[in-house]
Amino acid sequence: MRAINPEAGYFGVVPGTNRKTNPNAYNMIRSNTVFTNVAVTADNEPWREEKGDGEPAIDWRGRPHKRGDGPAAHPNSRFTVTAKQNPSYSKLAEAPEGVPLTALIFGGRRRELAPLVYQAKNWTHGVLVAAGVASETTAAATGKVGVVRRDPMAMKPFCGYNFADYWEHWLTFGDRSKTLPGIFHVNWFRRDSTGKFLWPGYGENLRVLRWIIERCARRAGAVETAIGFLPKPSDIDTRGLDVSSATLEQLLAVDPAQWRTEMADLGKYFSGFGKRLPPRLAAEQQRIVAALGA
């Protein structure tokens, strides 16, 4: 399976982007970039929380800002910029023949449920994992914060037809090829009981991507669970990180009771698609429910 890049640039939430957390993004947006809802400095330079330099003079609402006034940039302030400004930009991004796919990685923002990373057991299971992607709402979404919302394949705003038919299309690839990419789910946003993030995120996510690459190359082992294959704590390189062995175990923990609730909720979500829901997807959901036990 090969893929092409249909996009010409990047957009993302800008607060927290600095030289340490994401040096490529920091350098990429230093010029020729469109910002929304950021603050500005006295010399009219865009500013956001954790930028690492400068001071805001005007907040995102256009009001004078001084220390102690609270956030100057909106928590969901954004940037958009051409991809060619990324220092790590590859010309293969424009290769008309595309590039071979080794792994497909989906992610959701979950405080407790989803482990740091896990791999689907097969293609059908992977389609279910992707179809069930969900995040707890943040400042980026309207409505109540913390509500679980489904965003299948991260395509909810973009899918132009019934999702049940979209999932059936995905499932057909399992019948057409024996060399499909592995499907993985990541969750950088797991928190402890005090609300603190357990994983540092940003550039440290490469440590998780390394395990994914090793799995695809059949050089890394895994622990089989009802929800998929997980790395052993020793499989994730935490050298130089303030991540204890206990924290890593928490990041990789799978709570059967929580997952039973999750799969029941996913079943209710699937039921909304009626007879159009692919039978293989419904059967896969039931298989996981059975594997989780009573």
Side-chain angles (χ1 to χ4, degrees), residues 47-80:
W47 189 94
R48 69 278 183 180
E49 272 62 38
E50 298 182 58
K51 181 181 179 183
D53 54 55
E55 290 288 340
I58 305 295
D59 73 10
W60 70 278
R61 292 185 176 93
R63 304 178 305 193
H65 184 86
K66 60 181 182 296
R67 286 180 181 271
D69 284 350
H74 190 281
N76 193 35
S77 53
R78 301 268 176 154
F79 69 84
T80 185

Side-chain angles (χ1 to χ4, degrees), residues 6-78:
E7 297 186 340
Y10 303 94
F11 86 100
V13 177
V14 71
T17 302
N18 55 50
R19 288 186 179 93
K20 181 179 179 180
T21 60
N22 196 332
N24 279 345
Y26 178 84
N27 290 321
M28 181 174 64
I29 64 177
R30 289 174 63 83
S31 62
N32 302 319
T33 302
V34 175
F35 293 92
T36 60
N37 296 331
V38 292
V40 294
T41 62
D43 54 358
N44 209 36
E45 287 292 315
W47 189 94
R48 69 278 183 180
E49 272 62 38
E50 298 182 58
K51 181 181 179 183
D53 54 55
E55 290 288 340
I58 305 295
D59 73 10
W60 70 278
R61 292 185 176 93
R63 304 178 305 193
H65 184 86
K66 60 181 182 296
R67 286 180 181 271
D69 284 350
H74 190 281
N76 193 35
S77 53
R78 301 268 176 154

Side-chain angles (χ1 to χ4, degrees), residues 277-292:
L277 181 72
R280 281 187 289 180
L281 211 56
E284 185 66 17
Q285 185 262 349
Q286 286 300 306
R287 183 192 67 77
I288 298 173
V289 168
L292 287 166

Side-chain angles (χ1 to χ4, degrees), residues 55-278:
E55 290 288 340
I58 305 295
D59 73 10
W60 70 278
R61 292 185 176 93
R63 304 178 305 193
H65 184 86
K66 60 181 182 296
R67 286 180 181 271
D69 284 350
H74 190 281
N76 193 35
S77 53
R78 301 268 176 154
F79 69 84
T80 185
V81 64
T82 173
K84 292 182 179 180
Q85 287 189 198
N86 188 336
S88 64
Y89 181 77
S90 169
K91 291 182 179 178
L92 289 174
E94 298 182 33
E97 71 277 16
V99 294
L101 287 177
T102 302
L104 296 173
I105 304 173
F106 298 94
R109 179 186 287 265
R110 306 301 293 266
R111 292 175 63 96
E112 297 181 0
L113 177 82
L116 180 63
V117 59
Y118 66 98
Q119 179 185 9
K121 295 185 177 183
N122 52 55
W123 185 256
T124 300
H125 181 211
V127 174
L128 180 131
V129 169
V133 166
S135 292
E136 292 155 15
T137 53
T138 67
T142 57
K144 187 177 179 182
V145 173
V147 176
V148 174
R149 291 184 175 174
R150 301 285 168 192
D151 185 9
M153 285 84 168
M155 284 290 291
K156 193 169 186 177
F158 313 110
C159 188
Y161 58 103
N162 190 291
F163 260 126
D165 299 336
Y166 186 65
W167 298 329
E168 180 60 42
H169 175 66
W170 273 71
L171 288 168
T172 64
F173 287 100
D175 304 324
R176 293 153 59 186
S177 175
K178 294 182 179 180
T179 56
L180 292 167
I183 296 181
F184 297 80
H185 185 282
V186 296
N187 176 29
W188 316 125
F189 305 100
R190 197 153 180 171
R191 303 188 187 218
D192 63 17
S193 58
T194 68
K196 179 183 177 182
F197 286 112
L198 293 169
W199 182 251
Y202 296 105
E204 306 302 348
N205 295 343
L206 288 172
R207 298 168 186 262
V208 176
L209 298 182
R210 184 183 301 163
W211 179 79
I212 290 174
I213 292 169
E214 292 294 300
R215 280 293 293 169
C216 292
R218 302 182 184 276
R219 292 193 296 261
V223 177
E224 184 172 1
T225 73
I227 70 163
F229 297 109
L230 275 76
K232 300 184 296 291
S234 59
D235 291 334
I236 303 296
D237 179 11
T238 58
R239 287 175 294 181
L241 295 183
D242 184 21
V243 176
S244 68
S245 57
T247 296
L248 194 55
E249 287 185 7
Q250 191 175 351
L251 278 162
L252 297 174
V254 175
D255 185 319
Q258 289 183 339
W259 275 96
R260 283 193 289 270
T261 299
E262 172 72 3
M263 296 311 297
D265 289 344
L266 182 59
K268 291 177 183 177
Y269 175 68
F270 281 165
S271 68
F273 293 90
K275 294 182 179 179
R276 297 180 80 147
L277 181 72

